Amino acid sequence: MATQNNAPAGGMRDFLPVEAGRRQAVIHTIQEVYRTWGFLPLETPALERLATLQGKYGEEGENLMYKVLKRGAKLDRALASDPRPDDLADMGLRYDLTVPLARVMAAHQADLPAIFKRYQIQSVFRADRPARGRYREFSQCDVDIVGVAGVDAEADVLGAAAESLCRLGFKQPDDFTLRLNHRQVLAGLLARAGIPEQLAGEAMVAVDKADKIGLDGVRRELAERGIAPAAGDTFLTMASDMSELASTKELLTILADWLGDSGPTGEGVADLKQLTDLLEAGPAAGRYRIDPLLARGLGYYTGAIYEVQFPDFSGSGGGGGRYDNLLGMFSGRSVPACGFSFGLERILLIMADRAMFGVGMERGPQVLVAQMDPAVAGHVHRAANQLRQAGLRTDLYPSAGRLGRQFRYAESQGIRYVALAGTSEAETGQLSVKDLETGEQTTLPLTDAVAHLKALLN
Amino acid sequence: MATQNNAPAGGMRDFLPVEAGRRQAVIHTIQEVYRTWGFLPLETPALERLATLQGKYGEEGENLMYKVLKRGAKLDRALASDPRPDDLADMGLRYDLTVPLARVMAAHQADLPAIFKRYQIQSVFRADRPARGRYREFSQCDVDIVGVAGVDAEADVLGAAAESLCRLGFKQPDDFTLRLNHRQVLAGLLARAGIPEQLAGEAMVAVDKADKIGLDGVRRELAERGIAPAAGDTFLTMASDMSELASTKELLTILADWLGDSGPTGEGVADLKQLTDLLEAGPAAGRYRIDPLLARGLGYYTGAIYEVQFPDFSGSGGGGGRYDNLLGMFSGRSVPACGFSFGLERILLIMADRAMFGVGMERGPQVLVAQMDPAVAGHVHRAANQLRQAGLRTDLYPSAGRLGRQFRYAESQGIRYVALAGTSEAETGQLSVKDLETGEQTTLPLTDAVAHLKALLN
């Protein structure tokens, strides 16, 4: 018999208690903030019809998509006739949260508000080559406003994102920065630098790599993509000049000066002006900067674009933008929309690196109720129950036995306080509280012991 | 071009905001209770190696399991050689939460505590024929204690389950009942009735249907399964006699009288006695009854078994039991365990039928901040932000425009209070609060308006 491989499948992960607790705490915090900002939850199935997913994610998406084998007679029929791979599958696994949102918009139009502010936190599946930090099942954490054309929507989305980060503990002004740009502004700058419109897409792909390959790298890549070196240099000089400006106000003045105030480019500058004004009224105040080198790889953005950046961490912790022509893919009805998506795995990584998870966040038990004598198990269970009713996370050692072993169990679980009740405590309705760190032990009437532990732990 | 089908795939569901909010609220409540009871979270991947899943769920499981098509060169190779269905797949979708727990126990033994109290709430996938209340993706909500042989563990699991139901609003003593039984006790009763041991399994399958087919149905089914009618009658008479007893104490006395106190049967009676004593010390007090007709279909239970029953709803709202020989399937190391699993979909259904979801539970927005004049958007965003900082779930209408439309939007979202700020409010730093139900409108300085709304909503 072959040895069983008990590890999770390649690229998949088991989340043991500490990690699962952190994930649940972070997700819950984000959900609560989104709720407070008036966003509504949406959940879609892990499996979608293959036809829903196909043709939506480009060639790479087709290759990375997990497909579900047909079953029973349908599979037999497919196998009987020299099948192509797609004849064998009828569903695919969730690949992102945007295509399902578009499908929901088409399927449930009458049941959704005209302005739909939704959040959705679910896992997606991609058959990518596993690597450090790259998994085949990972969580996406999307917030979008559908049905609004103006940048009030972007301000709301970015305010909620900034507030989420603050609540997670990124409280200092330089704990994170929102980089802002605008597709039309970027297009205007590229045009002003002398890059022809038909090469603007190529140029954006090159600019998008600035984070990874530096400005010299972008210069080379622009040239490789057929852009005249002089034009590329002009663009990069403009971008550098802007980065040196002290304030958003100055930068916006220069942009208006260079790009004028008419047409899509002028509207882009006006959008950035209005958006930064609105951000000043909320939790993102002082936490953003306009970055002319922000491009966002995906082709579908049409207006403002943004990314969260953390100091000392390359890459982004989340991003998004306006995508006005995407959500009509199923309904045929174009609808303006903008959104933001957290890179949840990255946020968790940064928080772990910065030791931002307190014991409180992991929500492990705070008290262990130990058992010394099976004859008084009723008293002990009652004590545990009172501690729980008082809101203390209370583990109960599930059998009477040697205290040493129970203390070691508490220590292995990170529990500092042990509540004890033997025959004498049970007879007098008391409970002893032992602090494993100091060794101190106090015996009190049950109610007082509960209050004592509550005071110690709060 | 074929018309696109925008509905979710067969047996799958979209959860729109109201339903998603209810699900998230119920899951969060259960998680919080489990945390308070000292249980730790575990999450496992949606996709498992096919070898992990195969042979674990019987023939039915093999048929209902979703399998994931191989990709790339592996798929090409498989297709090249007249493949059987299983040659085409390399992974399967999560089918339950017990096999993954067993795999985790084997894979991470050194990282898990000797006594592992875990909860796990994730969706599972079964290619069953869709029907009312039967879906192909549904949530399981498992809590288990691994590594404990005594009924302290069952008392902890059932206490946490009862507390979860109380917190969800099932507060009255007759809002739910825990039915208890014990596999060894059931076996003892069947033996005493004269049913031979080798037919005990058949008899349990018949008894398990008592809820659906009634006692007469069980009588017929026992006969069909080869059990002598006299023995079947004896068993059912014993069960009826017991059901008529007023108290658990009387019932336990009769059981001890009939079954003695030695061997597995005697231990079973002692287990039930100890378990019911311990339940009296916690939230399940007065909310259980021993039911000799409870059998639980699954073959793997070895000790106490239990189900939650709701009045006026047939079937169970969750159940579980002790299964001491199951979790060693990967580690080869037998480990005692008991658990409980909520039927989440059923709980949600019962709560909806009983109108137990308040607006608070669905967590929709409480205040809409309306916009009348784009020139004062900053003041309006600031007002929205202050309401949010005060903890009020606050939606912001994302563009200035006619108030009538914004009021209708608020009403469609179930929002009673609208906060307004036009030019005059902005100039004086004020905010108007309108109650859409009474039509009343008050204008107050911003901070007072926030306090006023907070008072109205709490």
Side-chain angles (χ1 to χ4, degrees):
Chain A
M1 188 176 147
T3 309
Q4 174 80 41
N5 184 348
N6 293 322
M12 303 285 159
R13 288 169 293 172
D14 293 326
F15 296 116
L16 300 191
V18 168
E19 185 66 16
R22 290 175 174 188
R23 296 178 69 84
Q24 290 179 9
V26 167
I27 287 173
H28 185 67
T29 300
I30 294 173
Q31 283 178 333
E32 285 300 289
V33 171
Y34 286 163
R35 282 301 177 110
T36 304
W37 285 67
F39 290 90
L40 303 175
L42 177 70
E43 294 178 20
T44 61
L47 297 177
E48 294 276 2
R49 293 171 209 284
L50 215 47
T52 299
L53 301 175
Q54 280 175 328
K56 307 303 188 302
Y57 301 107
E59 199 183 334
E60 194 193 15
E62 298 294 322
N63 291 332
L64 299 186
M65 193 179 297
Y66 284 106
K67 294 169 186 169
V68 170
L69 197 62
K70 287 179 179 171
R71 298 151 303 283
K74 281 187 190 167
L75 178 60
D76 294 341
R77 273 200 301 278
L79 279 175
S81 56
D82 192 19
R84 291 166 312 141
D86 279 358
D87 298 335
L88 297 168
D90 56 355
M91 291 190 286
L93 267 80
R94 201 165 42 217
Y95 188 85
D96 77 348
L97 304 181
T98 304
V99 167
L101 172 61
R103 183 184 58 67
V104 164
M105 296 295 300
H108 305 279
Q109 197 182 329
D111 299 320
L112 296 173
I115 295 170
F116 185 31
K117 296 173 62 167
R118 86 91 169 76
Y119 70 86
Q120 185 170 359
I121 304 176
Q122 293 191 282
S123 54
V124 299
F125 302 85
R126 298 185 186 177
D128 222 333
R129 193 178 295 277
R132 188 179 133 75
R134 198 201 294 144
Y135 304 101
R136 290 177 158 182
E137 176 179 12
F138 58 96
S139 291
Q140 284 196 340
C141 191
D142 280 19
V143 58
D144 294 85
I145 299 184
V146 181
V148 179
V151 294
D152 278 271
E154 278 91 335
D156 224 18
V157 159
L158 288 173
E163 179 72 17
S164 298
L165 290 170
C166 292
R167 292 282 174 90
L168 289 173
F170 296 93
K171 289 193 166 74
Q172 299 307 314
D174 55 355
D175 278 344
F176 68 91
T177 306
L178 295 170
R179 298 166 68 202
L180 307 179
N181 202 2
H182 195 291
R183 273 292 169 91
Q184 303 305 336
V185 170
L186 187 52
L189 289 172
L190 293 169
R192 187 179 159 91
I195 297 170
E197 199 182 337
Q198 67 273 24
L199 287 174
E202 293 286 333
M204 286 192 199
V205 172
V207 170
D208 192 46
K209 299 185 180 170
D211 250 13
K212 284 183 198 152
I213 61 178
L215 288 190
D216 284 339
V218 173
R219 197 182 315 272
R220 271 192 304 275
E221 175 122 3
L222 283 169
E224 281 164 18
R225 288 177 180 267
I227 287 142
D233 282 353
T234 307
F235 172 77
L236 290 172
T237 306
M238 289 164 75
S240 302
D241 286 354
M242 280 189 279
S243 318
E244 280 163 23
L245 294 172
S247 74
T248 299
K249 201 160 164 258
E250 286 174 295
L251 204 153
L252 285 166
T253 308
I254 289 223
L255 277 181
D257 186 37
W258 285 349
L259 302 178
D261 57 5
S262 66
T265 308
E267 279 168 33
V269 178
D271 274 358
L272 283 181
K273 164 91 177 65
Q274 196 190 342
L275 176 55
T276 49
D277 281 349
L278 293 177
L279 290 181
E280 281 301 324
R287 285 183 161 125
Y288 59 85
R289 66 180 171 83
I290 295 175
D291 184 342
L293 287 173
L294 177 69
R296 301 283 297 156
L298 296 168
Y300 56 60
Y301 289 116
T302 56
I305 48 180
Y306 26 84
E307 271 185 16
V308 176
Q309 195 172 45
F310 296 94
D312 310 326
F313 285 87
S314 70
S316 96
R322 174 162 292 280
Y323 54 103
D324 283 348
N325 303 319
L326 190 64
L327 288 183
M329 66 177 93
F330 296 107
S331 65
R333 196 175 45 95
S334 180
V335 55
C338 70
F340 178 87
S341 183
F342 271 119
L344 189 68
E345 323 287 334
R346 180 164 286 259
I347 305 261
L348 285 158
L349 200 68
I350 295 172
M351 289 180 69
D353 273 12
R354 291 193 183 177
M356 290 167 69
F357 293 106
V359 173
M361 199 148 193
E362 281 156 17
R363 320 287 311 286
Q366 302 165 297
V367 182
L368 175 72
V369 177
Q371 297 211 58
M372 302 157 72
D373 179 356
V376 299
H379 176 70
V380 171
H381 276 250
R382 211 161 359 254
N385 191 42
Q386 290 206 14
L387 290 164
R388 288 158 175 170
Q389 295 298 332
L392 301 178
R393 295 190 301 278
T394 304
D395 197 358
L396 170 68
Y397 199 85
S399 62
R402 286 190 299 119
L403 278 181
R405 170 187 295 220
Q406 300 184 52
F407 291 166
R408 281 196 300 280
Y409 170 81
E411 277 161 354
S412 77
Q413 297 295 290
I415 303 173
R416 177 169 173 179
Y417 299 102
V418 176
L420 309 164
T423 325
S424 66
E425 282 97 343
E427 270 167 11
T428 53
Q430 288 185 308
L431 191 64
S432 295
V433 175
K434 187 179 178 72
D435 180 338
L436 292 182
E437 228 169 279
T438 64
E440 226 170 299
Q441 185 167 330
T442 329
T443 303
L444 294 166
L446 186 47
T447 317
D448 297 345
V450 172
H452 177 57
L453 271 167
K454 211 169 166 177
L456 286 172
L457 283 160
N458 288 337
Chain B
M1 187 176 148
T3 309
Q4 173 79 39
N5 184 348
N6 293 323
M12 302 286 159
R13 288 169 293 172
D14 293 325
F15 296 115
L16 299 191
V18 168
E19 186 67 15
R22 290 174 174 186
R23 295 177 71 83
Q24 290 180 7
V26 167
I27 287 173
H28 185 67
T29 300
I30 294 172
Q31 282 179 333
E32 285 300 289
V33 171
Y34 287 163
R35 282 301 179 110
T36 305
W37 284 66
F39 290 89
L40 303 175
L42 177 70
E43 294 179 20
T44 61
L47 297 177
E48 294 275 3
R49 292 171 211 282
L50 215 47
T52 300
L53 301 176
Q54 281 175 327
K56 307 302 187 303
Y57 300 109
E59 198 185 334
E60 194 193 15
E62 298 293 323
N63 292 332
L64 299 186
M65 194 180 297
Y66 284 107
K67 293 169 188 169
V68 171
L69 197 61
K70 288 180 179 171
R71 298 150 303 284
K74 281 187 190 167
L75 178 60
D76 294 341
R77 272 201 301 279
L79 280 175
S81 57
D82 192 20
R84 292 164 311 141
D86 279 357
D87 298 334
L88 296 168
D90 56 355
M91 292 191 286
L93 268 79
R94 200 164 42 216
Y95 189 84
D96 77 347
L97 304 180
T98 303
V99 167
L101 172 61
R103 183 184 58 68
V104 164
M105 297 295 300
H108 306 279
Q109 197 182 328
D111 299 318
L112 296 173
I115 295 171
F116 186 30
K117 296 174 61 167
R118 87 91 169 77
Y119 70 85
Q120 185 171 359
I121 305 177
Q122 292 191 283
S123 54
V124 299
F125 302 86
R126 298 185 185 176
D128 222 332
R129 192 178 295 277
R132 189 180 133 74
R134 197 201 294 144
Y135 304 101
R136 291 177 158 181
E137 175 180 12
F138 58 96
S139 292
Q140 284 196 342
C141 191
D142 280 20
V143 59
D144 295 86
I145 299 184
V146 181
V148 179
V151 294
D152 278 271
E154 277 91 334
D156 224 17
V157 159
L158 287 173
E163 179 71 16
S164 298
L165 291 170
C166 291
R167 291 282 173 91
L168 289 173
F170 296 93
K171 290 195 164 76
Q172 298 308 312
D174 55 355
D175 278 344
F176 68 91
T177 305
L178 295 171
R179 298 167 69 202
L180 308 179
N181 202 2
H182 195 291
R183 273 292 169 92
Q184 304 304 337
V185 170
L186 188 53
L189 289 172
L190 292 169
R192 187 180 158 90
I195 297 170
E197 199 182 337
Q198 67 272 25
L199 286 175
E202 293 286 331
M204 286 192 198
V205 173
V207 171
D208 191 47
K209 300 186 180 170
D211 250 12
K212 285 183 196 151
I213 60 178
L215 288 191
D216 284 340
V218 174
R219 196 182 316 270
R220 270 192 305 275
E221 175 121 2
L222 284 168
E224 282 163 20
R225 288 176 180 268
I227 287 140
D233 281 354
T234 306
F235 171 78
L236 290 172
T237 305
M238 288 164 74
S240 302
D241 286 354
M242 280 189 280
S243 318
E244 279 162 24
L245 294 172
S247 74
T248 298
K249 201 162 164 255
E250 286 175 296
L251 204 152
L252 285 165
T253 308
I254 288 224
L255 277 180
D257 187 37
W258 284 349
L259 303 178
D261 57 7
S262 66
T265 308
E267 279 168 33
V269 178
D271 275 357
L272 282 181
K273 164 90 177 67
Q274 196 190 341
L275 176 56
T276 50
D277 280 348
L278 293 176
L279 290 181
E280 281 301 324
R287 287 182 160 126
Y288 60 84
R289 65 181 170 83
I290 295 174
D291 184 341
L293 286 174
L294 177 70
R296 302 281 298 157
L298 296 169
Y300 56 59
Y301 290 115
T302 56
I305 48 179
Y306 27 82
E307 271 186 15
V308 176
Q309 193 172 47
F310 295 94
D312 310 327
F313 286 87
S314 70
S316 97
R322 174 163 292 279
Y323 54 103
D324 283 348
N325 302 320
L326 191 63
L327 288 184
M329 65 177 93
F330 297 107
S331 65
R333 194 176 48 96
S334 181
V335 54
C338 69
F340 178 87
S341 182
F342 271 119
L344 189 68
E345 323 285 334
R346 180 164 286 259
I347 304 263
L348 284 159
L349 199 69
I350 294 172
M351 290 180 69
D353 273 12
R354 291 192 183 178
M356 289 167 70
F357 293 107
V359 173
M361 200 148 191
E362 282 155 16
R363 320 286 313 284
Q366 300 165 297
V367 182
L368 175 70
V369 177
Q371 297 210 57
M372 302 156 73
D373 179 357
V376 301
H379 176 71
V380 171
H381 276 250
R382 211 159 0 250
N385 191 42
Q386 289 206 13
L387 290 164
R388 289 158 175 169
Q389 295 299 332
L392 300 179
R393 295 190 300 278
T394 304
D395 198 358
L396 170 67
Y397 199 85
S399 62
R402 286 190 298 118
L403 279 181
R405 171 187 295 220
Q406 299 184 55
F407 291 167
R408 281 197 300 282
Y409 169 82
E411 277 161 354
S412 77
Q413 296 295 290
I415 303 174
R416 176 168 172 180
Y417 299 102
V418 176
L420 308 164
T423 325
S424 64
E425 282 98 342
E427 271 167 10
T428 52
Q430 289 186 307
L431 191 64
S432 295
V433 175
K434 188 179 176 74
D435 180 338
L436 293 181
E437 229 169 279
T438 64
E440 226 171 299
Q441 185 167 329
T442 329
T443 303
L444 293 165
L446 186 46
T447 317
D448 297 346
V450 172
H452 177 59
L453 270 167
K454 211 169 167 177
L456 285 172
L457 283 159
N458 289 336

